Amino acid sequence: MIELRPLTAADAEAHCAGEDKHTVRWLTGGYGDVKGTIEFFNWLAGNAAAGAGKRGFGIWKSEGGAGAVPTVPARLCGYIDYTPDLDDGLDPDDVALAYAVHPWARGQGIAPEAVRLICDVLRTDKTGTRAAIRVEPENSASIRVAQKAGFRYVRDFPSNRDTHPDGTPTTFSLYLLDL
């Protein structure tokens, strides 16, 4: 079973332990440390309390026993966030999603399910009219997540804020889902 929960300071160590070269390459740009991660989680909590800006959640996986009762405590297996005010390649009512799954949990359908769950949150909260996944065309795993979650490819575009190490603009493929 997969569920989303707001992240707390107690989750920072497990979150950092789940980072690897793929997380750094496609999402964060660098490895986090526990202190900085706690500050980031506190910032996300402040945004949630204010009802504005980026909101982030831990992706938690529990193993079901008989009757879908978990047999072991849920384990942090990734991260997902949404940003309702990102304008890089998006229309004003699009909500950008970003996610990462820890290496031990990849290939289990966790990311598409987390994307579906975050879209449910957006619908419930009436945040935006479309969910958007911006993915570099070389990130085939994230493209598969978008497709499995029902998003449709729209176009490629050069970013007006993200760049490669050599300074050239990052090109993103845009995938959208009506909410």
Side-chain angles (χ1 to χ4, degrees):
M1 181 171 101
I2 303 301
E3 65 178 314
L4 306 181
R5 295 187 216 156
L7 291 156
T8 68
D11 306 319
E13 190 172 326
H15 176 80
C16 290
E19 292 181 329
D20 70 347
K21 66 181 182 177
H22 299 293
T23 306
V24 169
R25 167 64 179 97
W26 301 117
L27 183 65
T28 63
Y31 288 94
D33 61 32
V34 172
K35 181 178 184 249
T37 299
I38 290 170
E39 290 170 2
F40 180 64
F41 291 172
N42 288 338
W43 176 75
L44 290 171
N47 287 352
K54 181 187 295 268
R55 272 38 87 70
F57 301 86
I59 304 169
W60 297 84
K61 180 179 186 218
S62 57
E63 301 297 329
V69 175
T71 54
V72 295
R75 182 176 176 193
L76 182 65
C77 64
Y79 168 84
I80 190 164
D81 69 35
Y82 69 86
T83 307
D85 53 1
L86 181 66
D87 62 0
D88 185 22
L90 305 180
D91 288 341
D93 226 19
D94 292 344
V95 180
L97 307 182
Y99 45 82
V101 174
H102 296 174
W104 66 267
R106 291 184 185 139
Q108 301 176 39
I110 291 169
E113 181 61 19
V115 167
R116 286 187 205 92
L117 290 171
I118 203 75
C119 287
D120 289 345
V121 170
L122 296 173
R123 286 183 196 98
T124 299
D125 293 347
K126 296 180 178 23
T127 303
T129 58
R130 296 187 302 188
I133 295 175
R134 302 170 336 128
V135 57
E136 291 183 54
E138 301 82 16
N139 188 346
S140 58
S142 195
I143 290 170
R144 282 191 306 277
V145 169
Q147 293 167 337
K148 287 179 180 180
F151 284 63
R152 73 188 186 307
Y153 169 80
V154 176
R155 63 183 165 85
D156 287 353
F157 67 93
S159 176
N160 63 26
R161 62 174 236 161
D162 293 300
T163 60
H164 293 288
D166 67 2
T168 59
T170 301
T171 296
F172 287 110
S173 296
L174 178 62
Y175 291 81
L176 295 174
L177 178 74
D178 293 331
L179 294 172

